[in-house]
Amino acid sequence: DTGVSQDPRHKITKRGQNVTFRCDPISEHNRLYWYRQTLGQGPEFLTYFQNEAQLEKSRLLSDRFSAERPKGSFSTLEIQRTEQGDSAMYLCASSFGSGQPQHFGDGTRLSIL
Amino acid sequence: GDSVTQMEGPVTLSEEAFLTINCTYTATGYPSLFWYVQYPGEGLQLLLKATKADDKGSNKGFEATYRKETTSFHLEKGSVQVSDSAVYFCAITGGGNKLTFGTGTQLKVEL
């Protein structure tokens, strides 16, 4: 069990640029989740996949955000035309099936200049 | 929608003191309940869980009991250590499988 891996750990970019984050879940886990965490707050749900199917998206996920999990393994989260308010920690989690505990990666911290 | 309310921090205790962090929730149906911990500079780690009423989750000396009648899941530890200093998050999963978190409670344990 190598845990959930996220890359990069930290991304600094200028406003208006596009960014992409990657998440590699625990290998046998079929569910993959994305959350966003701002300072002093708990993580907020963005979206989740079961295998390659994206089953739920939060209204927090504006049309500038897109997530994929093309082969049911790793996932990418892309933010287009970044804004100041996108600065946050982006967390990925995975689980084996419904109702099972979610295991989190260390997150990608996004800083918008 | 689902929501979680937990006591605000920071909570500052002396080593070997008793810890309680309150957590209450609102949810439709019968959620599973979790406590996650975030140590400084690290990611979220699952601390303990309970999946049905009256279940007690426990790990590393921490305990929490699923109280359906009071919709609560308070975290307790009988004797805290400096190494327990961290931010603790209460979370629930409703029917949608996503986790809904509280705002977190920072615990500081001093010698």
Side-chain angles (χ1 to χ4, degrees):
Chain A
D1 181 354
T2 57
V4 178
S5 176
Q6 291 189 246
D7 183 71
R9 290 294 305 274
H10 197 172
K11 178 72 176 179
I12 302 172
T13 191
K14 293 181 179 179
R15 188 177 54 186
Q17 297 296 303
N18 299 343
V19 295
T20 300
F21 312 140
R22 177 180 170 123
C23 172
D24 287 89
I26 294 171
S27 58
E28 64 269 25
H29 285 183
N30 60 350
R31 292 198 171 202
L32 186 149
Y33 306 79
W34 286 99
Y35 293 84
R36 181 170 68 187
Q37 184 178 21
T38 54
L39 198 62
Q41 300 296 316
E44 295 177 294
F45 170 78
L46 293 178
T47 187
Y48 91 93
F49 294 82
Q50 179 163 305
N51 300 314
E52 66 276 8
Q54 189 173 17
L55 296 187
E56 188 174 348
K57 292 194 291 187
S58 163
R59 62 182 181 277
L60 293 175
L61 213 66
S62 76
D63 56 6
R64 296 185 297 106
F65 288 70
S66 62
E68 294 183 341
R69 195 183 183 197
K71 297 182 180 179
S73 56
F74 74 91
S75 176
T76 58
L77 177 68
E78 181 183 17
I79 309 174
Q80 296 182 325
R81 306 180 303 281
T82 53
E83 301 174 355
Q84 208 72 38
D86 296 332
S87 294
M89 178 74 85
Y90 289 84
L91 299 169
C92 178
S94 68
S95 71
F96 184 67
S98 172
Q100 296 303 308
Q102 296 178 25
H103 298 266
F104 283 80
D106 287 340
T108 294
R109 181 170 296 283
L110 175 63
S111 300
I112 307 296
L113 300 177
Chain B
D2 297 346
S3 67
V4 175
T5 302
Q6 59 181 110
M7 62 190 288
E8 291 191 16
V11 173
T12 303
L13 296 173
S14 299
E15 201 169 44
E16 299 184 0
F18 184 86
L19 168 71
T20 300
I21 300 178
N22 291 335
C23 170
T24 57
Y25 66 89
T26 58
T28 53
Y30 301 95
S32 295
L33 310 180
F34 305 87
W35 277 99
Y36 281 83
V37 58
Q38 191 167 34
Y39 297 102
E42 299 185 15
L44 281 167
Q45 299 177 25
L46 177 67
L47 182 59
L48 53 84
K49 66 170 184 173
T51 57
K52 62 182 187 295
D54 300 324
D55 266 3
K56 177 184 284 188
S58 61
N59 187 26
K60 298 181 181 179
F62 291 89
E63 295 183 337
T65 301
Y66 190 144
R67 300 290 188 198
K68 185 171 181 291
E69 64 278 10
T70 55
T71 61
S72 65
F73 193 53
H74 304 321
L75 182 68
E76 297 181 337
K77 187 175 185 182
S79 176
V80 294
Q81 305 300 312
V82 171
S83 57
D84 293 327
S85 297
V87 181
Y88 292 81
F89 292 92
C90 183
I92 67 173
T93 53
N97 300 294
K98 64 189 179 189
L99 281 165
T100 299
F101 286 87
T103 54
T105 301
Q106 184 176 12
L107 171 66
K108 298 179 180 178
V109 181
E110 301 173 336
L111 289 171

